[in-house]
Amino acid sequence: MEAQLEQIREQQKDSWNKFSPDWKKWDTLIMEFLQPIGDEMIKLINPKENETVLDVATGTGQPGISIAAKIGNGKIIFTDLAAGMLEIAEENARKAGIPNFETQVCDVSELPFADNSFDIISCRLGFMFFPDMQMAAKELTRVLKPGGRITTSVWSGPEKNFWVTAIGGTINKNMEIAAPAEGAPGMFRCAKPGFIASIFKEAGLKNISETEVLGTLNCGTDETYWSMMTEIAAPFVAALSKADDAMRAKIKKEVSELINERFPDGNVSIPSSAIVIYGEK
């Protein structure tokens, strides 16, 4: 792997491990928020009894845990770059009574599995963070069985995801944050319609489809929104760490005003949009 890609990978691993306790803290709210995306992915791959599944960039365990419940005596392997996230996934899987799983810390671009190993591969909201997305797609295709099904999901554009831009835009307005390099890992890197589909096609996949899935982040209050986003979102945490107390207070005040202007009834339920992509080998 090129030195630059290796550096990105190590930074991501450190970041996800650092923030894993906060992801555990907010897991219930986040998983409720992301469930419509997972539900659509599961519908498309249609898991069956005794199938073998690979869930990549597992995070805290979904949708892999829900998939595992549908494959009976089959087997699922949860993989992630961060051991801290996989520990939470394992805890959640055991709580859910899932016996048929194992976990593996590994990089998606160097999967430790033989060719044609899995009937199904799922990857919720991982592709936009992979240093080399084409390399990742080729690796996933390599370990997928002929006729196997694969599904992933990415965020639509910022105009459809106020839950990101409310805080992100306010930080950018108040602080001189260097823009990421074009094509660098990030939330909206894969938002263009057809982007992931073209990567799937280049990797040799077929019968590719894309579906928009709408969701809602039910924060309840602007304070809950602020607390969650400043505890789990590494880019925002990093930016705010460079702000003094006065600037941080100013940004928080402006975010609160922006949220309450959008939701004057005090019930903060922020809409979102993601794209679910499906393909077959």
Side-chain angles (χ1 to χ4, degrees):
M1 186 180 289
E2 295 178 21
Q4 183 182 11
L5 299 183
E6 181 69 22
Q7 182 181 13
I8 293 171
R9 187 182 76 99
E10 289 303 312
Q11 288 172 344
Q12 288 179 338
K13 181 167 66 174
D14 290 345
S15 178
W16 286 110
N17 278 321
K18 176 183 176 183
F19 287 101
S20 59
D22 295 308
W23 277 85
K24 182 176 181 179
K25 172 183 174 181
W26 292 102
D27 193 47
T28 300
L29 177 58
I30 296 168
M31 290 305 103
E32 178 191 277
F33 172 42
L34 300 182
Q35 185 172 340
I37 301 172
D39 288 348
E40 180 65 21
M41 292 171 67
I42 292 170
K43 184 178 83 172
L44 289 167
I45 53 174
N46 189 24
K48 298 181 177 65
E49 181 84 19
N50 296 323
E51 289 195 304
T52 304
V53 183
L54 177 66
D55 189 57
V56 177
T58 290
T60 61
Q62 289 288 6
I65 292 170
S66 294
I67 295 171
K70 296 178 178 293
I71 58 174
N73 293 320
K75 181 180 179 181
I76 187 165
I77 300 178
F78 299 129
T79 69
D80 202 284
L81 199 56
M85 298 298 280
L86 280 180
E87 288 172 9
I88 301 169
E90 181 168 353
E91 182 180 327
N92 286 340
R94 296 200 185 283
K95 283 181 184 176
I98 301 299
N100 52 338
F101 76 93
E102 63 181 64
T103 61
Q104 175 91 43
V105 177
C106 63
D107 176 22
V108 67
S109 296
E110 299 172 330
L111 294 171
F113 309 114
D115 296 357
N116 308 320
S117 293
F118 299 97
D119 299 293
I120 291 171
I121 296 175
S122 58
C123 174
R124 185 167 71 178
L125 302 172
F127 254 88
M128 58 268 198
F129 300 117
F130 296 156
D132 189 322
M133 294 178 288
Q134 196 64 66
M135 186 187 300
K138 288 180 178 177
E139 264 295 88
L140 293 172
T141 303
R142 177 184 68 79
V143 302
L144 189 63
K145 292 179 181 178
R149 295 99 69 202
I150 181 171
T151 183
T152 191
S153 51
V154 296
W155 292 115
S156 302
E159 71 283 356
K160 294 185 176 183
N161 285 290
F162 180 66
W163 68 278
V164 178
T165 59
I167 184 169
T170 304
I171 289 172
N172 289 338
K173 184 179 74 173
N174 281 278
M175 299 177 68
E176 293 184 6
I177 304 297
E182 186 176 350
M187 292 287 288
F188 302 124
R189 182 191 188 196
C190 304
K192 184 179 178 181
F195 182 84
I196 291 294
S198 66
I199 288 177
F200 271 20
K201 186 175 180 181
E202 178 68 23
L205 297 167
K206 58 188 180 182
N207 298 330
I208 300 165
S209 67
E210 288 190 344
T211 308
E212 183 180 19
V213 176
L214 304 179
T216 306
L217 178 58
N218 293 307
C219 294
T221 68
D222 60 296
E223 186 64 36
T224 298
Y225 169 79
W226 172 264
S227 296
M228 185 185 76
M229 296 299 286
T230 56
E231 289 178 20
I232 67 166
F236 302 147
V237 176
L240 290 169
S241 71
K242 298 180 177 68
D244 60 24
D245 290 346
M247 176 57 73
R248 184 181 173 94
K250 181 176 186 288
I251 291 171
K252 182 178 181 180
K253 180 174 181 289
E254 290 181 8
V255 169
S256 177
E257 290 171 350
L258 197 59
I259 292 290
N260 289 320
E261 180 183 332
R262 180 74 69 97
F263 304 99
D265 63 353
N267 180 26
V268 179
S269 298
I270 311 177
S272 69
S273 171
I275 305 167
V276 173
I277 306 94
Y278 170 84
E280 299 170 359
K281 183 171 175 180

